[in-house]
Amino acid sequence: MVGLTSVEFALAAFHRDGEWQVEQLTESVLVDVETLAAGLHRFPADGGALALIGLDEDAFLVVRTSVAQTRLLLSDITTADEWELARTAVEHLGLPFPEDDDEEAPAGDLTLLSDLGVDADTLAQLVDEDRYADEVLSEVAALLGFGAAFDRAVGLTSS
């Protein structure tokens, strides 16, 4: 398993007073999904918080918390063999761990952002595109309304 150094970026996004806020997540909450969810609960959000995490340049994890539940989407289930955080995501979902010959495929809840304006079909299409994790999550952030803040936080520049 690769350690925490494989996490390229880890951001929390949350609504406060009707506006999106974006903050860096600390390494201490990137241990597993449960610790990450507990870390997201500390943000003073109107209706829960999101974590947008680039595991490497090709894989990402989106976690959404509310008082009642933790929902997530892992862009590629095969990453559970490489990253502990991805492994705990697969465990949280109650899915079998991938075999060596398994194909790349998303795992989790494609509807987790539907009420925020990114429906399951759009999210599935974005996950399926052959693009870097920061580019996909940048587009997701733009659709949600905090694209510029996300891009600044991860160091993306417009071309």
Side-chain angles (χ1 to χ4, degrees):
M1 294 267 168
V2 175
L4 288 177
T5 57
S6 66
V7 173
E8 291 199 2
F9 59 87
L11 302 175
F14 53 96
H15 248 192
R16 183 173 45 205
D17 300 327
E19 292 189 31
W20 282 104
Q21 309 291 315
V22 175
E23 292 187 20
Q24 296 282 338
L25 288 167
T26 63
E27 275 190 22
S28 64
V29 301
L30 300 176
V31 177
D32 55 42
V33 169
E34 288 72 28
T35 305
L36 177 57
L40 288 174
H41 284 296
R42 76 173 180 84
F43 293 103
D46 305 333
L50 298 173
L52 304 168
I53 301 167
L55 297 173
D56 71 5
E57 62 186 31
D58 297 320
F60 62 85
L61 176 65
V62 177
V63 177
R64 183 173 183 190
T65 60
S66 66
V67 173
Q69 62 184 340
T70 298
R71 299 162 61 193
L72 55 94
L73 175 65
L74 178 62
S75 66
D76 177 7
I77 194 167
T78 65
T79 61
D81 289 335
E82 300 177 48
W83 290 278
E84 185 63 28
L85 190 55
R87 183 177 219 27
T88 67
V90 171
E91 287 173 352
H92 180 85
L93 292 167
L95 298 174
F97 287 101
E99 301 292 327
D100 289 337
D101 60 346
D102 282 351
E103 298 277 326
E104 292 181 11
D109 186 355
L110 287 166
T111 66
L112 83 160
L113 304 175
S114 293
D115 63 315
L116 298 174
V118 181
D119 63 51
D121 291 337
T122 301
L123 193 52
Q125 181 179 6
L126 289 169
V127 170
D128 195 39
E129 292 178 2
D130 188 23
R131 295 174 30 199
Y132 293 120
D134 58 356
E135 295 171 341
V136 173
L137 291 178
S138 174
E139 190 163 341
V140 169
L143 291 169
L144 292 172
F146 60 91
F150 175 90
D151 290 353
R152 276 190 307 277
V154 299
L156 287 176
T157 57
S158 2
S159 39

